[in-house]
Amino acid sequence: MSTIRVPRNMRAKRELLKHAPKLVENGKKMIILHGTKTSAVLNSVLADLFHLKRDHAVKFTKKNDNIRPFESGGETSLEFFSLKSDCSLIVYGSHSKKRPNNLVFGRTYDHHIYDLVEVGVENYKSIESYAYDKKFAPKLGTKPFFAFIGEHFESVEGLKHLKEMLLDHFKGEVVENLNLAGVDRVFVCTAISPTTVYMMHCALRLKRSGTSIPRMELVEVGPSMDLVVRRNRRAADSLQKEAMKAPGHAKKLKNVSNNPIDGKLGRVYIPDQEVSKLALTSDIKGLKRERRDAKKNKEHSKKQKVNPE
């Protein structure tokens, strides 16, 4: 059980606030881990996946002995690394005789395992094996297109789950507006069979078409591989309901605004005063004062008449 971290200075407090829940969350980061034993093919796969996500990824090269994602208690180390590196997406590679070139994609919620998909890698071709003009290479931080070809992505539960996992791992940050010139790559996933998906990474080459919309050509830049679905584990209904809960919008207060300089400001409306309809009484202080002044003037004038000079 993780202890509660209490900041001891302002720098530590700012770091904890970065990891705290927000109304609009930061972009998801991916952590790449190695199992007890990995093959040369799997090492190359993990290196290429890190290359594709190197602006939002953390890669650990040390081998981990006690990670078993699908076994009870075996996911504790994954949750620890997720919390330590503040990553909500997990890629774990391992190799054994029973499951060669095994790759596990996972997602976390509140740094606890949410769901998992296990695939086997076959017919792998690395990025270095492709020869192409390097000026068409995808740039760092660009948004990719996704093309899912085949009816199995809609009918087979395992491929539907794999589709969600690939989208979440490689879509990047969520943006409102997108510049067409900034979209320079596409992931093409083809369902060959109910358990196998051929995935390839291509660069987009924009050419003139005589219209405002350019013509696009695909240049395969790698990596490419066959992903064979082996095991998958969906999230529990209660956990899924909690994770999908959208934040409620705060009720807007009328006539209240926030200013970065003055702070919270309020506006008060006062109705117009109609003086003609005000009820006036004889017990007004101003009238009493006028009466006193008039009485004094009257007494003063009488004295002047009694004592003429």
Side-chain angles (χ1 to χ4, degrees):
M1 185 175 180
S2 60
T3 59
I4 299 175
R5 295 179 292 179
V6 179
R8 297 185 179 181
N9 50 45
M10 289 304 297
R11 181 181 178 183
K13 186 176 181 180
R14 287 193 296 268
E15 288 298 322
L16 287 180
L17 287 176
K18 289 180 183 178
H19 300 169
K22 304 178 183 62
L23 187 63
V24 179
E25 292 287 349
N26 301 330
K28 294 182 179 181
K29 293 169 58 180
M30 185 171 72
I31 182 172
I32 299 175
L33 299 168
H34 293 253
T36 306
K37 183 180 179 182
T38 55
S39 62
V41 172
L42 203 58
N43 289 334
S44 181
V45 170
L46 296 176
D48 285 350
L49 293 181
F50 175 72
H51 178 76
L52 296 176
K53 289 274 295 183
R54 60 189 182 276
D55 53 339
H56 294 94
V58 178
K59 185 173 182 288
F60 292 165
T61 56
K62 185 179 178 180
K63 295 182 179 181
N64 301 277
D65 299 333
N66 53 352
I67 295 180
R68 295 174 180 84
F70 286 89
E71 296 181 11
S72 178
E75 70 275 4
T76 307
S77 297
L78 285 178
E79 295 173 351
F80 168 75
F81 286 121
S82 172
L83 178 62
K84 181 180 178 180
S85 57
D86 192 26
C87 296
S88 57
L89 304 174
I90 297 172
V91 176
Y92 172 72
S94 62
H95 179 76
S96 64
K97 185 176 180 181
K98 185 178 180 181
R99 294 185 178 92
N101 299 327
N102 199 53
L103 204 62
V104 178
F105 294 95
R107 294 183 290 186
T108 63
Y109 172 70
D110 195 21
H111 300 296
H112 294 284
I113 295 297
Y114 179 74
D115 60 348
L116 297 166
V117 174
E118 183 183 69
V119 297
V121 178
E122 298 178 359
N123 302 323
Y124 170 72
K125 292 181 66 176
S126 64
I127 296 177
E128 288 78 9
S129 62
Y130 287 90
Y132 60 93
D133 194 348
K134 297 302 179 183
K135 68 179 181 179
F136 299 122
K139 298 178 178 59
L140 184 67
T142 56
K143 291 280 290 183
F145 280 133
F146 284 88
F148 292 93
I149 305 170
E151 60 182 7
H152 297 303
F153 285 113
E154 303 298 330
S155 58
V156 181
E157 188 63 29
L159 295 192
K160 287 171 66 176
H161 196 186
L162 179 61
K163 176 183 175 181
E164 295 175 8
M165 198 69 71
L166 293 176
L167 282 173
D168 221 4
H169 275 70
F170 297 104
K171 68 180 180 181
E173 293 188 5
V174 179
V175 295
E176 295 182 358
N177 299 319
L178 190 63
N179 187 0
L180 185 60
V183 183
D184 58 357
R185 56 198 175 109
V186 59
F187 288 96
V188 182
C189 302
T190 307
I192 302 174
S193 69
T195 59
T196 306
V197 173
Y198 173 65
M199 176 182 173
M200 65 177 179
H201 180 229
C202 300
L204 287 177
R205 186 178 179 183
L206 303 180
K207 288 191 171 184
R208 294 180 180 178
S209 62
T211 62
S212 58
I213 301 176
R215 182 169 59 89
M216 293 186 178
E217 288 187 357
L218 299 183
V219 179
E220 195 169 357
V221 296
S224 66
M225 66 193 87
D226 289 341
L227 301 178
V228 182
V229 178
R230 290 173 177 167
R231 291 184 291 178
N232 69 315
R233 189 178 77 186
R234 285 279 190 178
D237 294 338
S238 58
L239 180 61
Q240 186 176 5
K241 185 177 180 180
E242 183 182 355
M244 295 295 180
K245 190 182 297 182
H249 296 284
K251 187 177 180 180
K252 187 177 181 181
L253 299 177
K254 288 186 177 181
N255 306 322
V256 177
S257 61
N258 290 313
N259 192 307
I261 299 175
D262 300 328
K264 194 174 184 179
L265 300 177
R267 183 182 297 178
V268 179
Y269 289 91
I270 300 176
D272 296 335
Q273 294 183 355
E274 298 181 3
V275 182
S276 61
K277 294 182 179 180
L278 291 178
L280 301 178
T281 63
S282 59
D283 297 332
I284 301 176
K285 292 182 179 180
L287 295 176
K288 291 180 180 179
R289 185 176 180 182
E290 290 179 0
R291 289 170 185 170
R292 287 196 301 268
D293 293 343
K295 188 177 181 180
K296 287 180 181 180
N297 293 335
K298 188 176 182 179
E299 290 177 356
H300 182 67
S301 61
K302 284 182 178 181
K303 289 181 181 179
Q304 288 180 349
K305 289 180 181 179
V306 173
N307 302 317
E309 294 181 0

